[in-house]
Amino acid sequence: AKTASEINKPNGIALIKPGEADKFLESLPIGKFFGVGKVSEKRMIALGINNGSELKNADLEKLIKHFGKAGRFYYDIVRGIDNRPVTPYRERKSYGREITLDEDILDLDLIHSILREIAEELEAAYKRKCLKGRTITLKVKYFDFQLCTRSTTVDDPADSADVIMEEILRLLKYTEAGNKKIRLLGISLSNFENEDDQCRERQLLLQF
């Protein structure tokens, strides 16, 4: 429903009949799929996946290899499969984004660049969802699958990429980044401040 509502902005109304669903999904640009952000879109295109038809033809193992758990979600969503329960509003404990890299990396400049892309993607999501969090968490998985997480709590709730990156780069110094190859990078926010009624009402309208 969310994907369809994006097609006819600003009205947000699109009628897709059951018999038209497959054709609609196959013709959809890859960046229009729910859950495919700017970073994932670039990686999809690099893999030769530009639209729903090419995503549908992609092997499940290949998607999981390049996108982790999200690979299964992409594999299902292009087939119109989404078994998540529909809830008009639920309190979210944390919200984040992580990327499994095509190749293990060591270069700090590249690591910083990827983290910046994640932070910018999250900023857009946080503002769209009316989320501001006090706890910022960095997730790093090394080439040997050792997992490392570092967190910090800030006084003022954050939702901007600049604030997130300032803390993430500080946390990164307490990892082995630059000395040990990295396979996965992730950022998340938690410990959200209470939403005011106006923000919650706007969020519900956007979800519709």
Side-chain angles (χ1 to χ4, degrees), residues 41 59 176 206:
E41 181 182 10
D59 183 72
E176 295 184 72
L206 286 172

Side-chain angles (χ1 to χ4, degrees), residues 11-108:
N11 295 328
I13 299 173
L15 176 62
I16 301 171
K17 298 177 181 179
E20 300 171 347
D22 286 344
K23 185 177 180 180
F24 169 77
L25 290 171
E26 289 174 2
S27 64
L28 201 65
I30 196 64
K32 294 292 185 180
F33 278 90
F34 177 71
V36 178
K38 292 181 180 179
V39 177
S40 296
E41 181 182 10
K42 290 179 181 177
R43 298 177 67 213
M44 286 277 194
I45 292 173
L47 292 170
I49 302 173
N50 299 280
N51 53 46
S53 178
E54 292 172 346
L55 176 59
K56 198 170 187 177
N57 289 328
D59 183 72
L60 174 59
E61 291 184 3
K62 176 182 177 180
L63 292 174
I64 292 176
K65 175 183 177 182
H66 290 285
F67 299 98
K69 292 181 180 179
R72 162 61 75 174
F73 175 78
Y74 298 146
Y75 183 86
D76 287 342
I77 205 71
V78 73
R79 290 167 171 78
I81 301 171
D82 188 353
N83 295 319
R84 295 173 300 167
V86 176
T87 52
Y89 176 79
R90 67 177 183 272
E91 184 178 354
R92 187 182 290 274
K93 294 182 179 180
S94 67
Y95 189 95
R97 176 83 170 87
E98 61 184 43
I99 292 178
T100 300
L101 305 168
D102 294 333
E103 297 180 0
D104 302 335
I105 61 174
L106 192 64
D107 183 77
L108 276 175

Side-chain angles (χ1 to χ4, degrees), residues 58-177:
D59 183 72
L60 174 59
E61 291 184 3
K62 176 182 177 180
L63 292 174
I64 292 176
K65 175 183 177 182
H66 290 285
F67 299 98
K69 292 181 180 179
R72 162 61 75 174
F73 175 78
Y74 298 146
Y75 183 86
D76 287 342
I77 205 71
V78 73
R79 290 167 171 78
I81 301 171
D82 188 353
N83 295 319
R84 295 173 300 167
V86 176
T87 52
Y89 176 79
R90 67 177 183 272
E91 184 178 354
R92 187 182 290 274
K93 294 182 179 180
S94 67
Y95 189 95
R97 176 83 170 87
E98 61 184 43
I99 292 178
T100 300
L101 305 168
D102 294 333
E103 297 180 0
D104 302 335
I105 61 174
L106 192 64
D107 183 77
L108 276 175
D109 288 338
L110 181 55
I111 292 170
H112 291 176
S113 176
I114 293 171
L115 288 171
R116 164 58 71 171
E117 285 191 64
I118 295 175
E120 290 178 351
E121 186 175 323
L122 288 177
E123 176 183 358
Y126 292 146
K127 290 183 176 179
R128 186 172 62 248
K129 296 175 181 293
C130 294
L131 295 176
K132 287 187 177 183
R134 296 182 184 277
T135 301
I136 301 171
T137 300
L138 168 67
K139 181 177 180 180
V140 176
K141 183 182 288 185
Y142 301 107
F143 75 98
D144 57 2
F145 293 97
Q146 180 185 359
L147 183 63
C148 170
T149 59
R150 297 288 183 266
S151 298
T152 186
T153 299
V154 295
D155 293 332
D156 297 322
D159 67 349
S160 75
D162 288 341
V163 173
I164 293 170
M165 277 303 296
E166 181 179 352
E167 298 300 328
I168 286 296
L169 292 180
R170 188 174 65 81
L171 293 172
L172 192 65
K173 295 178 182 178
Y174 296 94
T175 71
E176 295 184 72

